[in-house]
Amino acid sequence: MDKAEAYQGFLATPHISKHPHFMGMSCFFLPKPKKLNLCLTGLSPSLILGKRAEVFFTHSINLLENYKLLASNLQLIVNKKTLGEFDFFIEELTTKQVLHIELVYKIYLYDPNFKIEEQRWIGPNRKDTLLKKVSHLKSHQLPLALTQESKLLLKSHGIHANNLKQKVCFKAQLFIPEDKSIKPDFSSINQACIVGYYISYTKFTKEVYGEFQFYSPKKSIWFTPPLAEHKTWLNFEQINLQVEKFILAKKSVLLWVKKSKHCYTRLFVVWW
């Protein structure tokens, strides 16, 4: 059941921008298939979040009538050295347009302590940033597909680089500080991506959270909103034992918080 829920969560995750272009990149908005097939294959338990998103994207493209998957996860290897990997090449059947699509599925937290707005969206453990990801796409991943070596690789798969448009499918879950006085700039960011809040561990106290129930989902179902009644919910003392282990290891932890029978929220407790 987790696979089906995670796939539906992936589909429901908004794109990071509503606009045709985002930070200098052309956007691809993945349509929701009219008929959902929830029987998914290729989902190993060890797959990381980004790779699971690729399986879900592939599954969606195969269900859409107007698109044909031409190739995926193509590795560019020159002189036994891997220069990069391309996510997807698909054909838009009505226009015969071939698209090179890089898929991004990210979870970012808004840290207002950075001076520049674009630097403020960071990964839960501060190892990743929105700015770093966009820079890599624009300076490496997208231009690499247009090199002579890549053209030869694509030609071997029946894809002609001259008839190629490049787009990025960028889905994101965004978390903001619980302090409601801190307001991100949503001029380019899709506000619908906000799915929860985050707090430092020092603020995760029994006085504030003692009346609620909690569940710590494994990363493979981080796509899923916290509405699964069949989960085993823990009280504050029980969940705090788990949270403390993450914090000591300098790892932020995602919690589903059950405030009442019909009220759930997502909360990151961060170590920093």
Side-chain angles (χ1 to χ4, degrees):
M1 185 63 181
D2 282 349
K3 293 180 181 180
E5 289 177 342
Y7 174 56
Q8 290 177 302
F10 167 80
L11 289 177
T13 302
H15 297 86
I16 200 166
S17 176
K18 292 181 177 181
H19 307 294
H21 293 87
F22 175 67
M23 298 180 73
M25 303 179 298
S26 181
C27 296
F28 178 81
F29 300 105
L30 180 66
K32 185 177 180 179
K34 293 180 180 178
K35 296 182 179 179
L36 288 183
N37 179 352
L38 299 180
C39 296
L40 292 108
T41 58
L43 271 179
S44 166
S46 61
L47 278 183
I48 62 174
L49 195 74
K51 289 298 180 182
R52 283 180 172 264
E54 290 179 7
V55 173
F56 295 151
F57 184 92
T58 300
H59 187 69
S60 294
I61 292 297
N62 289 332
L63 291 176
L64 293 167
E65 296 178 356
N66 192 38
Y67 292 102
K68 178 183 178 183
L69 181 63
L70 303 177
S72 61
N73 303 119
L74 290 185
Q75 287 190 326
L76 178 62
I77 302 174
V78 179
N79 296 326
K80 298 183 180 180
K81 182 180 180 181
T82 302
L83 301 182
E85 181 175 290
F86 307 116
D87 287 345
F88 299 98
F89 293 91
I90 66 175
E91 181 183 359
E92 193 175 50
L93 297 178
T94 53
T95 63
K96 302 299 181 184
Q97 177 65 57
V98 177
L99 303 174
H100 165 213
I101 297 175
E102 287 298 313
L103 175 66
V104 182
Y105 193 102
K106 288 291 185 179
I107 293 175
Y108 290 129
L109 282 57
Y110 185 80
D111 184 353
N113 294 312
F114 290 92
K115 290 183 179 181
I116 301 174
E117 181 70 22
E118 288 79 5
Q119 293 179 327
R120 292 175 176 173
W121 293 106
I122 63 173
N125 292 312
R126 308 186 73 84
K127 295 178 181 179
D128 184 24
T129 71
L130 171 61
L131 206 57
K132 186 185 295 184
K133 183 60 182 179
V134 170
S135 177
H136 179 72
L137 286 165
K138 292 169 67 175
S139 65
H140 177 73
Q141 200 68 13
L142 295 174
L144 185 62
L146 304 178
T147 63
Q148 192 58 39
E149 293 86 354
S150 296
K151 289 179 180 180
L152 292 174
L153 172 65
L154 296 179
K155 188 176 180 181
S156 70
H157 288 268
I159 302 170
H160 298 285
N162 293 334
N163 181 35
L164 196 66
K165 284 187 177 181
Q166 294 183 299
K167 293 180 178 288
V168 175
C169 181
F170 202 137
K171 285 174 168 275
Q173 294 183 26
L174 303 179
F175 292 76
I176 57 178
E178 198 174 41
D179 182 352
K180 292 181 172 57
S181 67
I182 300 172
K183 297 181 180 180
D185 178 7
F186 290 111
S187 57
S188 61
I189 299 289
N190 182 4
Q191 193 168 351
C193 290
I194 301 296
V195 296
Y197 299 91
Y198 76 89
I199 58 171
S200 64
Y201 181 54
T202 56
K203 293 184 178 180
F204 188 62
T205 63
K206 187 174 182 179
E207 287 73 23
V208 179
Y209 293 94
E211 296 182 0
F212 305 141
Q213 292 182 296
F214 305 87
Y215 179 74
S216 177
K218 53 189 177 182
K219 279 192 175 182
S220 61
I221 57 170
W222 278 12
F223 301 96
T224 313
L227 296 173
E229 286 287 357
H230 63 278
K231 302 298 181 189
T232 302
W233 297 91
L234 305 178
N235 62 31
F236 178 83
E237 287 81 3
Q238 291 169 320
I239 199 66
N240 194 39
L241 292 174
Q242 295 184 20
V243 172
E244 188 176 25
K245 291 178 182 178
F246 279 96
I247 300 302
L248 289 174
K250 290 191 174 182
K251 292 183 178 180
S252 301
V253 56
L254 175 63
L255 300 179
W256 292 350
V257 184
K258 184 178 180 181
K259 295 185 173 182
S260 67
K261 186 176 181 180
H262 300 292
C263 181
Y264 302 81
T265 59
R266 286 185 250 205
L267 177 73
F268 257 106
V269 181
V270 301
W271 61 268
W272 35 273

